[in-house]
Amino acid sequence: MEWAEAISEAVKYIESHITENITMYEVADHVNISPFYFHKGFSILCGYSIAEYVRNRRMALAGEELLTSDISIMELAMKYGYDSPDSFTKAFSRFHGSTPFAVRRDKSMIKTFAPLKLTISLKGGYIMDYRIVKKETFTILGISRDFSYENAKLEIPLFWEEHYSSGKGKYVCGMFGINIESNIGPKTGKEKFEYLIADAYNPSVDIPDGFEVKTIPAFTWAVFPCKGALPHSLQDVNTKIYSEWLPSLQDYECAAGYCVEMYDDSSKYPNGTKDENYYSEIWIPVRKK
């Protein structure tokens, strides 16, 4: 399934299951895309995470039903996935600016949130540097933690801060930041991915407590150079990957639930990772279609 087609199909699937206990992992499984790439791509292209989109659509639909039917507030709460009228009322009030009772009593104005319709617009030609590289298996030494997709954007930078502030940077400098998905999805019940702060493994060095050695499989990788201060250079390239490169990709597709960020030695730059010439890379495993 093409990238843009997959996102559109995902929106249709969400709409047809909007009152069910739907998760991002189910939607990613339905369109046969790695949860990591699906979550990031959906967020970049649509401007919302899956969870945010589902919450907003449910609140919009609940508001419409409240004004156009005699359904009770308790029934509405249960229909749209809330355990109690109180939790539903709080969510409803945040979205619409009024309580369900006030909206029904006063026929107050409510907010709408229409289903997403993905369109790909043609822009002027652009150049995006990347190369396709075959890499054999390589071994890393790292420290790992599991993260949920919904909170990872905020929690992973804190993980890096904790790593250095605790003194663990003397064991692993942080050449790599690696996302690994393993048996994630509705069929396994696992809903978090593994993230490692890692270096290339030197077998002559003892493994410190709390660290682990892991082998990254051989893949063909699409390697994207990022030049400039972090995190903006990485963020800009990530946006282009999902909004420009993947939708126009002809010969390749994402191959597995791995993503590698490679960081150059910051001591080589006058302003470290904030230097305008700082160099990093994003690696995405790909395969021929």
Side-chain angles (χ1 to χ4, degrees), residues 205-261:
V205 176
D206 292 337
I207 300 172
D209 290 341
F211 289 77
E212 62 181 298
V213 172
K214 191 176 289 284
T215 299
I216 306 301
F219 283 118
T220 297
W221 301 83
V223 177
F224 299 85
C226 310
K227 185 179 179 181
L230 296 180
H232 303 296
S233 58
L234 278 174
Q235 291 169 348
D236 289 346
V237 172
N238 256 321
T239 298
K240 288 183 178 180
I241 288 172
Y242 290 95
S243 63
E244 299 176 358
W245 183 72
L246 275 171
S248 64
L249 204 56
Q250 297 293 322
D251 299 325
Y252 290 92
E253 62 185 0
C254 294
Y258 285 81
C259 181
V260 176
E261 295 167 356

Side-chain angles (χ1 to χ4, degrees), residues 4 8 14 40 74 120 137 153 217 219 234 268:
S8 296
I14 292 168
K40 183 166 282 191
M74 170 70 85
I120 301 297
T137 60
K153 187 175 181 179
F219 283 118
L234 278 174
K268 293 161 54 177

